[in-house]
Amino acid sequence: MQKIKKILCTTDLSKVSDRLLSWGVELCLQLDASFSVFHAIPPPHGSVSRQIEFERGGEKKEKIEIAREKIKIFMERFDIKWDLVITYGDPVLEVARVAKKIKPDIIIAASHGLSEFQQFFIGSVVGRMAQTFSQPFLVIPPGKIVSDTNCPKLQFTNIIIACCLSESDSHLKKYALAFSEKLNSKICLIHVMESPVNEEVVEITSAPYDEAQRLLEEKLSLRLKNLMSAETHILRGIPGEELALYAKSHEIDLIIAGVDDRPGRIITTTTAALLRHLPCAVLTVPIKPN
């Protein structure tokens, strides 16, 4: 089972990020992990001369100190040891650089809930993060951390492992078990059948269609059950879309999905769809390709 002993929580000092810090602290306490807070001061837009003025004229130092004080004041309400890292530069690249140095077990961030139209034109920051980070990356949708209290309630009651029926599923299982052990979560294994069927996953049969589908589902279900003792489901359709629909209709709190861990990787269409829809929290776990 994967141990989660160090959490890196990113903040952009927005109200959503403030609530994420509260949520992250609770997660840290539940998992008995250490807690680090990260914030990056992005370079100003404009000409090179404007950036030089910002860096050398005192604005950069002033913004760093303002951010440091704001985070310290916010964190004073929690009885927990924590540390703070503030850097200057592109936030996504800076998180990746700091994470490579301090080696957190999980990086967490909040999505600001851009519409698909907005994501098409300006891109998704969480999408860039999932492509860039070498560590497991936990994305929390805004609706999951909005609360009338200072400490949003942490709930990972129901967890899905998005299985592709390869060796990588065992790696995802380790993280599901880590959450389940500490948070008493229920784990469900789901595989979505696409058409045409991947012959590397299951052998094609020449039986009549209905019989072939029944035999296929039985074989796939057996492979899921061999992974671990848990509830299993075989769905049909486009994986990312079907997983999102299932999560919304079954009150799922977390979906765990794999991503290629090679630099400059392209996120699979399944994981990309989950990050785009964010029906619940999504944990992307880098997987070494075979």
Side-chain angles (χ1 to χ4, degrees):
M1 181 174 61
Q2 178 68 40
K3 294 294 184 181
I4 300 173
K5 302 303 294 181
K6 183 182 292 187
I7 294 172
L8 177 62
C9 183
T10 65
T11 176
D12 61 4
L13 303 183
S14 65
K15 290 183 178 180
V16 169
S17 285
D18 282 350
R19 291 190 287 268
L20 176 69
L21 286 175
S22 298
W23 190 95
V25 167
E26 186 176 356
L27 178 64
C28 173
L29 293 173
Q30 293 273 14
L31 298 177
D32 191 26
S34 64
F35 193 66
S36 298
V37 179
F38 172 88
H39 176 69
I41 305 295
H45 297 292
S47 63
V48 174
S49 61
R50 171 68 186 107
Q51 292 190 25
I52 293 174
E53 179 187 4
F54 179 84
E55 294 171 13
R56 299 180 181 177
E59 279 186 82
K60 171 185 167 183
K61 183 178 181 181
E62 180 182 357
K63 284 186 176 294
I64 288 175
E65 290 307 314
I66 290 173
R68 188 186 309 278
E69 188 62 23
K70 183 174 181 178
I71 293 170
K72 285 177 65 177
I73 290 173
F74 185 84
M75 291 297 294
E76 283 177 355
R77 69 189 72 185
F78 305 113
D79 184 17
I80 183 177
K81 290 183 179 180
W82 62 284
D83 56 75
L84 174 63
V85 179
I86 299 180
T87 66
Y88 171 72
D90 177 275
V92 175
L93 298 180
E94 285 299 302
V95 177
R97 182 182 65 80
V98 169
K100 186 175 181 180
K101 181 179 179 180
I102 69 174
K103 295 179 172 56
D105 296 302
I106 281 183
I107 301 171
I108 62 175
S111 168
H112 284 270
L114 294 180
S115 68
E116 292 188 39
F117 180 80
Q118 290 172 313
Q119 289 185 41
F120 179 80
F121 282 101
I122 67 177
S124 166
V125 173
V126 297
R128 281 187 63 209
M129 288 178 165
Q131 283 182 303
T132 305
F133 297 163
S134 298
Q135 294 79 16
F137 175 46
L138 179 59
V139 187
I140 311 299
K144 294 296 182 181
I145 55 174
V146 172
S147 174
D148 293 331
T149 66
N150 289 329
C151 291
K153 184 170 178 56
L154 172 64
Q155 285 188 319
F156 276 164
T157 305
N158 297 302
I159 296 176
I160 284 177
I161 302 178
C163 298
C164 60
L165 299 179
S166 69
E167 293 180 3
S168 65
D169 293 342
S170 296
H171 193 51
L172 303 182
K173 179 182 75 171
K174 294 176 184 178
Y175 285 90
L177 290 173
F179 282 106
S180 178
E181 180 190 41
K182 297 291 186 177
L183 304 176
N184 196 29
S185 309
K186 178 184 177 182
I187 300 173
C188 177
L189 310 178
I190 292 184
H191 175 73
V192 183
M193 292 197 311
E194 294 184 272
S195 181
V197 175
N198 185 346
E199 294 185 40
E200 293 181 1
V201 173
V202 66
E203 182 181 354
I204 303 299
T205 177
S206 58
Y209 179 78
D210 290 342
E211 178 68 9
Q213 290 296 304
R214 185 185 65 78
L215 292 173
L216 178 57
E217 289 194 21
E218 287 180 358
K219 289 182 179 180
L220 296 177
S221 294
L222 182 60
R223 292 187 63 172
L224 288 179
K225 291 174 181 177
N226 287 338
L227 179 63
M228 64 179 292
S229 177
E231 182 180 343
T232 64
H233 291 284
I234 302 296
L235 307 179
R236 300 182 189 180
I238 301 173
E241 307 292 333
E242 291 302 320
L243 285 166
L245 289 171
Y246 185 94
K248 287 180 179 179
S249 62
H250 289 77
E251 298 184 340
I252 301 301
D253 302 298
L254 174 65
I255 299 175
I256 302 178
V259 293
D260 190 334
D261 79 340
R262 289 172 292 192
R265 58 184 173 261
I266 298 176
I267 300 177
T268 64
T269 54
T270 299
T271 304
L274 291 174
L275 292 175
R276 185 170 64 251
H277 293 296
L278 276 181
C280 59
V282 173
L283 176 66
T284 64
V285 180
I287 303 294
K288 293 186 181 297
N290 295 329

